[in-house]
Amino acid sequence: MGSSGINAEYMGSSGINAEYMGSSGINAEYMGGRGTEGVVTRWGVTRLPRKTHRGLRKVACIGSWHPARVAYSVARVGQYGYHHRTELRKKIYMVGDGVVGEDGKKNYKSATTEHDLTEKSITPMGGFPHYGEVLQDFLMVKGSVPGCKKRPITLRKPLHTPTTTAAKEEVKLKF
């Protein structure tokens, strides 16, 4: 996906290899962290009463007037967890070309399948909510992806060969 940050052994750090363009049914694993969390989730601080003025998922008092600084031991908002979590057994449904090619020409055939030969882009009318139009190379993955929209993720080939029938079935998109 150009400079979007998708990295993998079979997808170069600068984008998706042409070798996998248009292929489907590949199994993958992807990794992500837990991101930023508040004090209630991160440290298990008790919530404040329901009628609290400026929010209730906070620390009531972060320290006394003097010393005039916050102690390191006071629970604060921040990164939740050091380690990345790996989600296993994810199937890549489609690897598609972006709208704008390397030569600068626009190509609106990224969502054409053998069942639906209409020349159309993967972007729905009005764009994706909180994202916009898909202009670069893209992956269509079954299931959820960790992180928010436009968050770079790391993909890799599965360490163990999937043996389930769902992993072995061939993907045929009909849209």
Side-chain angles (χ1 to χ4, degrees):
M1 288 183 76
S3 62
S4 70
I6 292 185
N7 306 319
E9 293 175 25
Y10 56 90
M11 294 170 200
S13 61
S14 62
I16 302 170
N17 287 342
E19 175 185 346
Y20 286 91
M21 208 49 81
S23 60
S24 63
I26 304 169
N27 290 298
E29 299 174 353
Y30 44 80
M31 296 167 280
R34 290 191 178 179
T36 305
E37 289 291 346
V39 290
V40 174
T41 301
R42 193 174 180 214
W43 300 107
V45 173
T46 305
R47 287 177 36 202
L48 296 173
R50 91 182 152 78
K51 292 180 80 174
T52 308
H53 177 50
R54 290 194 175 100
L56 48 83
R57 296 179 64 89
K58 299 173 175 257
V59 176
C61 179
I62 61 171
S64 58
W65 191 325
H66 290 291
R69 58 191 156 276
V70 180
Y72 74 91
S73 57
V74 175
R76 305 293 276 166
V77 175
Q79 173 67 32
Y80 186 48
Y82 175 74
H83 303 286
H84 283 241
R85 275 73 183 168
T86 303
E87 292 193 23
L88 307 176
R89 295 180 289 280
K90 296 296 180 178
K91 188 173 273 286
I92 296 176
Y93 274 177
M94 183 176 173
V95 182
D97 279 329
V99 173
V100 181
E102 292 179 12
D103 55 356
K105 294 182 180 178
K106 299 210 177 219
N107 178 17
Y108 292 102
K109 299 179 184 178
S110 61
T112 303
T113 62
E114 57 185 52
H115 290 282
D116 184 10
L117 299 175
T118 310
E119 291 184 9
K120 58 185 176 183
S121 174
I122 195 69
T123 307
M125 289 181 65
F128 286 101
H130 307 289
Y131 184 86
E133 289 190 40
V134 177
L135 299 176
Q136 297 177 339
D137 301 341
F138 64 91
L139 292 172
M140 188 182 297
V141 183
K142 180 181 180 181
S144 62
V145 177
C148 61
K149 276 112 178 136
K150 301 188 181 184
R151 173 68 47 92
I153 59 169
T154 303
L155 288 169
R156 72 174 185 205
K157 288 186 178 177
L159 297 177
H160 304 288
T161 307
T163 57
T164 61
T165 54
K168 291 179 181 177
E169 72 181 356
E170 188 177 330
V171 174
K172 290 187 180 179
L173 298 176
K174 296 184 179 181
F175 66 89

